[in-house]
Every structure is written in C-alpha cells, then in structure tokens.
Amino acid sequence: MLAPIPLALDIGPSELLIILVIVVVLFGGSRLAGLGKGAGRALREFKEETQSPDEIPADDQQKAASPNLGAESAAEPPAPAPAPENKVAS
C-alpha cells in the first residue's frame, strides 16, 4: 500500500534557510525589498478600507462626509441656463 501523505510538511530551519537562499539568488535582494514594500503598502491600504466607520478618525469622517468642501463651496453656484425659445414655423 501507499504511505499516507502527511497533512503538515515538516520543514525545519535548515530547509527554510535553503529556500531563502534560492529565492534571493533567483530574484535578487533589491527586487525582494520592493516586493516587501509593495506588500506592506497593500496590507495598509486594505486595513484602511476595511475599517468600520467608528474606527475612522473624526477628521477623516468629515472629509468622507463632505468631499466637495473647499474652494468649490466658496464660489457662487452657476447661473441657470436660459430657457430654449419655442419658434413655430408659419
């Protein structure tokens, strides 16, 4: 009979070190640093987007509630467009 496949791989520190060396050789240190930076930025943005409204700071809630406040609100609203003339052909 076939031996059962273990559910958890028994990876020790020496195997992890070998895998790490292979990854560094394949990708290079600078590319790995960039990947880590990008992954950290993605996680940070994900956490910000998944926060519930009570966890968002008050100043951010004001920005979200009224995004158009600023220079546009200080300006007067645009004048209404003139009504079109109805010309009847005779």
Side-chain angles (χ1 to χ4, degrees):
M1 293 187 104
L2 297 173
I5 299 174
L7 294 178
L9 298 174
D10 292 328
I11 298 177
S14 60
E15 288 90 358
L16 288 175
L17 183 63
I18 292 170
I19 292 171
L20 180 65
V21 168
I22 292 172
V23 169
V24 169
V25 168
L26 287 177
F27 294 108
S30 62
R31 186 179 285 176
L32 287 178
L35 288 173
K37 184 177 178 180
R41 185 180 309 127
L43 284 173
R44 189 176 327 112
E45 290 176 4
F46 178 76
K47 286 181 182 179
E48 289 173 2
E49 294 295 325
T50 58
Q51 285 181 341
S52 65
D54 59 329
E55 294 174 348
I56 299 174
D59 56 333
D60 288 343
Q61 285 181 348
Q62 288 177 342
K63 289 178 187 176
S66 56
N68 292 331
L69 288 181
E72 293 177 6
S73 66
E76 293 184 23
E85 296 179 19
N86 293 331
K87 294 185 180 182
V88 177
S90 39

